[in-house]
Amino acid sequence: MDERELRLKSIQYRRTVLEIIKLANAGHTGGSLSCVDILNVLYNDVMNVTPANFHDPDHDRYVQSKGHSVEALFTVLADKGFYPRSDLDTISRYGSHFIGHPTRKVPGVEQNTGALGHGLSVAVGMAIAAKKDKRSFRVFTLLGDGELAEGSSWEALMTAAHYQLDNLTVIVDRNHFQITGNTEAVNGLEPLAAKFSAFGCAVTEIDGNDIGALVRTFDRLPFTVGKPSLILAHTVKGKGISFMEAGSKWHHRVPTDSEFAAALAELAQAEVEA
């Protein structure tokens, strides 16, 4: 898939994210929109994982540690054929497996997540298992920057460096906002790249909403033999919808009818310009 096709996919995914959040009357809008470009490139250009090979022991693993942004993950998995798009219309309804965080009851989901700070530890365990079993699969995990206040994330990074897990790629969705405000006001993280380097990661900083930059960066994996790769992806919360961008207001909020119509109009215009 070329870069233009990937850009069009991201627009399509943003539309679906908004549609299912509007229908469910619940969802993490801002964080799903900030990370959807990352998931797009991972599933359409990088990872060896499909509905056909999901139970093959050598398929690539993906763990969404920032599990609250599940609408982005559900959207991409539906597009990849793990289940019909119509299944997403049941999100947050009684009896549906499509709930507010990833669960393994949904086809294509590797690990239940949602308790922040846990996903990276699970991914590290998977990467260690691959090394011990001499398996070829790679492990990818996506963290929100807000969850880096959890000490377990840093313990997991130390372990990843100790075991030289160059089959592990950690992506941080650095959109600078969590539910209560800017991360630097809530619990400052900077200098973040230097901290990751000090914990033994090979670090690359990119624009996490730039499809071309994502493709080129993933093509370089692993960044350093014998070290876990860490992509510090600078993103915009609410990316793609002008009035949702760069703030905590849309961390968990459903658009009104007029906001929904305006958002769809912006995406339609983006499609024309892509």
Side-chain angles (χ1 to χ4, degrees):
M1 193 175 292
D2 64 31
E3 290 183 20
R4 183 176 183 275
E5 290 174 309
L6 289 169
R7 288 195 299 273
L8 288 169
K9 278 285 185 189
S10 281
I11 296 167
Q12 171 195 327
Y13 290 160
R14 286 188 165 89
R15 183 181 294 114
T16 301
V17 164
L18 293 174
E19 287 171 347
I20 62 178
I21 286 174
K22 179 65 173 170
L23 184 62
N25 198 34
H28 287 84
T29 307
S32 288
L33 294 176
S34 72
C35 73
V36 76
D37 299 307
I38 297 167
L39 294 182
N40 177 10
V41 175
L42 277 174
Y43 276 90
N44 289 305
D45 193 64
V46 178
M47 293 195 302
N48 174 31
V49 59
T50 65
N53 76 1
F54 189 69
H55 297 291
D56 184 317
D58 283 318
H59 79 273
D60 288 338
R61 272 64 164 174
Y62 172 74
V63 177
Q64 182 141 320
S65 191
K66 55 171 291 182
H68 55 285
S69 294
V70 72
E71 293 85 11
L73 178 59
F74 284 167
T75 291
V76 175
L77 291 177
D79 182 59
K80 296 305 294 181
F82 282 92
Y83 40 80
R85 162 65 179 85
S86 57
D87 284 5
L88 298 183
D89 293 341
T90 71
I91 194 167
S92 296
R93 291 186 186 176
Y94 176 75
S96 173
H97 294 316
F98 293 86
I99 56 175
H101 291 86
T103 165
R104 291 175 65 190
K105 292 180 179 180
V106 171
V109 173
E110 201 75 54
Q111 180 64 37
N112 295 14
T113 56
L116 295 178
H118 291 186
L120 180 54
S121 296
V122 172
V124 166
M126 291 176 174
I128 291 173
K131 291 280 190 181
K132 287 184 174 294
D133 292 345
K134 295 182 171 53
R135 291 290 183 183
S136 62
F137 69 82
R138 299 172 297 170
V139 183
F140 298 84
T141 185
L142 178 69
L143 279 65
D145 49 6
E147 73 178 297
L148 293 174
E150 299 283 355
S152 54
S153 296
W154 300 95
E155 294 171 23
L157 285 176
M158 285 193 295
T159 303
H162 177 79
Y163 287 101
Q164 301 181 336
L165 300 182
D166 51 10
N167 58 344
L168 172 68
T169 299
V170 182
I171 308 127
V172 177
D173 183 8
R174 182 66 167 125
N175 62 34
H176 290 269
F177 286 95
Q178 56 192 94
I179 192 169
T180 50
N182 188 288
T183 57
E184 299 313 288
V186 176
N187 191 6
L189 298 171
E190 296 295 345
L192 194 48
K195 289 176 181 177
F196 287 135
S197 295
F199 271 71
C201 298
V203 181
T204 294
E205 295 190 67
I206 64 167
D207 179 344
N209 296 126
D210 183 326
I211 295 294
L214 287 163
V215 169
R216 292 187 294 273
T217 300
F218 284 121
D219 280 347
R220 295 194 294 110
L221 294 173
F223 300 146
T224 302
V225 174
K227 287 188 173 185
S229 299
L230 190 139
I231 300 172
L232 187 51
H234 295 279
T235 64
V236 176
K237 194 149 189 164
K239 178 67 176 180
I241 309 300
S242 61
F243 56 88
M244 296 182 183
E245 290 185 350
S248 58
K249 175 182 177 181
W250 285 92
H251 180 87
H252 189 285
R253 183 185 162 190
V254 178
T256 64
D257 291 347
S258 60
E259 289 169 337
F260 182 62
L264 294 187
E266 287 195 17
L267 292 174
Q269 183 60 34
E271 219 161 27
V272 172
E273 297 171 358

